Amino acid sequence: RLSFFLQNLLGEGYKVIEEGLNGRTTVFDDPNDDWKNGLDYIKGILCTHRPVDYLVIMLGTNDMKTVYNASLDEIAAGLNEIVQRAEKVMDLKQGYVPKILIVSPPEITTDILTGPFSGSFNEVSIDKSRRLSEYFKRVADKHGCGFLDAKQYIKPSVEDGLHLDPAGHKGLAEAVCEAIKKI
């Protein structure tokens, strides 16, 4: 898992807490799982784990599901809302804002079209995933956050074109570790 690799890379001076959830979006409510949007979660997650010195946000892939029909501008606006809410609650509840790293997820590959998630994503989703990083970079720049374009380092597994295999988790952990050290 990513958190295991990242913890080992960062060492004892850090405590990595993973809050990943399959299907989580930035701000969109899934018609079948309406409790998975990140905007609703961010305050509780951050306050539960205070103090938070670094916050790594990697969302957006599930926003590209066909059910949402979300534009890249809408997905980036959702990320922007999450960052704003995180900054506000952390300033209020712990007296300072953690250093934030925005990670633009890896591209969805064409393997998605024949895998188990083919009904949720399509070729438009694949195209959006190729261009998402430029939109997320703007959000990072606006807030003075660190930024990492995961597609420069990893690709999803060939099994489903969406999720990471162990090598992907390891590669992402290495890239996130380096990005954290830079911020």
Side-chain angles (χ1 to χ4, degrees), residues 15 27-28 68 83 93 122 172:
K15 180 181 179 188
V27 297
F28 302 104
Y68 305 122
V83 172
K93 296 294 185 180
N122 61 16
L172 182 57

Side-chain angles (χ1 to χ4, degrees), residues 36-58:
K36 288 188 172 183
N37 86 59
L39 187 63
D40 289 347
Y41 267 78
I42 195 69
K43 284 183 180 180
I45 288 170
L46 291 173
C47 288
T48 297
H49 299 297
R50 284 186 310 192
V52 176
D53 296 317
Y54 295 90
L55 171 62
V56 179
I57 303 171
M58 186 171 107

Side-chain angles (χ1 to χ4, degrees), residues 38-154:
L39 187 63
D40 289 347
Y41 267 78
I42 195 69
K43 284 183 180 180
I45 288 170
L46 291 173
C47 288
T48 297
H49 299 297
R50 284 186 310 192
V52 176
D53 296 317
Y54 295 90
L55 171 62
V56 179
I57 303 171
M58 186 171 107
L59 291 170
T61 299
N62 291 303
D63 296 35
M64 293 180 267
K65 287 181 178 178
T66 57
V67 68
Y68 305 122
N69 195 31
S71 70
L72 290 169
D73 282 321
E74 291 169 322
I75 296 168
L79 175 66
N80 186 68
E81 284 186 65
I82 289 172
V83 172
Q84 286 177 325
R85 189 167 286 183
E87 290 172 335
K88 185 176 181 180
V89 73
M90 288 288 85
D91 190 38
L92 178 69
K93 296 294 185 180
Q94 73 178 18
Y96 65 94
V97 175
K99 294 176 182 175
I100 299 173
L101 174 64
I102 294 174
V103 179
S104 183
E107 292 179 11
I108 299 168
T109 67
T110 55
D111 296 314
I112 194 92
L113 301 175
T114 56
F117 300 102
S118 62
S120 297
F121 297 88
N122 61 16
E123 290 176 2
V124 173
S125 306
I126 294 168
D127 180 60
K128 286 179 187 176
S129 76
R130 291 179 180 139
R131 300 181 299 129
L132 183 64
S133 62
E134 59 192 86
Y135 290 77
F136 277 18
K137 176 79 166 87
R138 288 184 211 136
V139 174
D141 290 346
K142 176 181 177 181
H143 291 275
C145 299
F147 178 75
L148 175 68
D149 184 358
K151 75 175 180 282
Q152 302 298 320
Y153 301 92
I154 57 167

